[in-house]
Amino acid sequence: MASVWGGLFVHVDTRSPQPSRDRVHRLIRQQLQPHFPVLARCHSIRELRAHPLYPAIEPIVDQVLTNIEVEHFGPAGIPPRHQYRFLAWNLERGLRLDGQIEAFRTHEYLRSADVVLLTETDVGMARTGNRDVARTLARELGFHYAFAPCYLNLTKGAGVEHEAEGENELGLHGNALLSRYPIGRVRLIRLENGTDKMAGREKRLGSQAALAAEIDLDPRALRDTLEAAMAIRAGRPQLDCSEQTKTCRILRPDLPGWCEVIDDSVRLAGPS
């Protein structure tokens, strides 16, 4: 396989066999971490790739960074709703994880979320107490979850993170998806980096990644949710949906600013 972070767009699907979580962690500890101090002396991706040590471990790095972790802490069956709430939250590594868990349990808006899109979550980083942030959150809330690694950190981080107590047990950092409903066919979409991740004090292998998945939601409720968001700017209808195929076609794919449309729907409609 070509490198997942060498300027290529790579798609990984969980229909392919995935190594177990424990196996990936062993690969990091036994075959990669012993080389981190040497590789961390490199000041650019180009210098890293030219290092005589790197070609031998590159396939292992790729294996670690293309592994999508999926676990099910939620029930197998849950009744459909007439409306779904999707929530996006940058957890800032999970530096305040206990408070974030408490917020999900007690805050009226947060505790009603059905699907949670998490960015910047750590796994085995000293700066967050070597916790598995997304997995811990999913287990505590009773959600299904998927985690996509973006980076394998050679150092403890930047700024004050570099002075965090202890050492990284794994050094993984990535994005996650949590859902009340079972998650299937998870896909990792690797994206290009905008900057050289070996050029700063925080040395990282990898690149940003998007995480896509199939979640079995009631199609009529999902249609209503999307229609409500799109109608803020463009009016109804924006979707042509089929009950037979359980799919929806966007009537106006040329509508600009889809992110702004969704953002407007949240800002103008407010909590339901």
Side-chain angles (χ1 to χ4, degrees):
M1 179 187 293
S3 170
V4 300
W5 52 283
L8 299 175
F9 183 97
V10 176
H11 176 280
V12 181
D13 197 315
T14 53
R15 288 178 299 181
S16 303
Q18 297 281 298
S20 70
R21 175 174 177 269
D22 289 343
R23 172 171 163 73
V24 169
H25 292 184
R26 283 197 302 271
L27 286 174
I28 295 173
R29 291 188 177 104
Q30 297 174 8
Q31 300 190 44
L32 296 178
Q33 279 188 337
H35 306 298
F36 284 1
V38 173
L39 296 178
R41 299 191 190 112
C42 297
H43 298 289
S44 68
I45 292 295
R46 176 175 293 184
E47 183 180 349
L48 175 77
R49 290 189 169 281
H51 195 285
L53 175 64
Y54 191 72
I57 66 169
E58 183 175 18
I60 305 172
V61 172
D62 286 352
Q63 187 176 358
V64 167
L65 291 177
T66 55
N67 185 70
I68 308 168
E69 185 177 316
V70 179
E71 283 196 74
H72 303 283
F73 297 110
I78 183 172
R81 302 188 178 196
H82 75 281
Q83 180 178 329
Y84 297 104
R85 173 158 288 160
F86 287 69
L87 172 73
W89 193 348
N90 183 326
L91 288 188
E92 295 285 353
R93 293 123 163 66
L95 293 167
R96 299 182 178 180
L97 180 57
D98 291 331
Q100 290 161 337
I101 292 173
E102 183 66 16
F104 269 109
R105 286 174 170 163
T106 60
H107 190 281
E108 182 178 358
Y109 188 88
L110 297 180
R111 70 185 182 189
S112 66
D114 297 294
V115 178
V116 183
L117 314 174
L118 300 178
T119 52
E120 292 198 18
T121 68
D122 280 354
V123 181
M125 291 287 297
R127 64 193 178 194
T128 45
N130 280 305
R131 302 173 79 176
D132 191 331
V133 170
R135 186 173 188 267
T136 299
L137 186 58
R139 186 183 66 242
E140 292 296 317
L141 299 179
F143 274 40
H144 307 272
Y145 96 106
F147 170 79
C150 297
Y151 300 107
L152 186 58
N153 288 262
L154 306 181
T155 63
K156 292 195 287 187
V160 296
E161 296 173 351
H162 198 76
E163 308 304 324
E165 184 178 349
E167 300 296 330
N168 294 342
E169 291 183 3
L170 295 168
L172 287 171
H173 180 78
N175 300 324
L177 185 154
L178 277 61
S179 171
R180 293 185 189 274
Y181 299 83
I183 297 172
R185 201 189 168 207
V186 182
R187 299 178 294 284
L188 180 152
I189 304 170
R190 186 66 61 181
L191 308 173
E192 292 187 19
N193 279 326
T195 59
D196 190 327
K197 299 302 180 182
M198 291 294 293
R201 191 177 189 185
E202 183 176 13
K203 310 286 186 177
R204 294 180 282 177
L205 312 180
S207 70
Q208 190 55 264
L211 181 60
E214 294 181 0
I215 303 174
D216 189 14
L217 304 176
D218 178 70
R220 288 169 296 182
L222 184 58
R223 177 191 63 198
D224 291 343
T225 301
L226 293 174
E227 280 277 21
M230 295 176 187
I232 292 296
R233 180 170 300 178
R236 294 174 182 266
Q238 288 302 319
L239 297 174
D240 177 22
C241 297
S242 168
E243 294 292 337
Q244 294 179 333
T245 63
K246 296 184 178 181
T247 59
C248 290
R249 179 174 62 88
I250 298 176
L251 294 177
R252 289 187 56 193
D254 60 329
L255 183 69
W258 283 112
C259 290
E260 288 79 3
V261 169
I262 300 299
D263 185 57
D264 284 349
S265 74
V266 174
R267 182 168 57 251
L268 297 181
S272 59

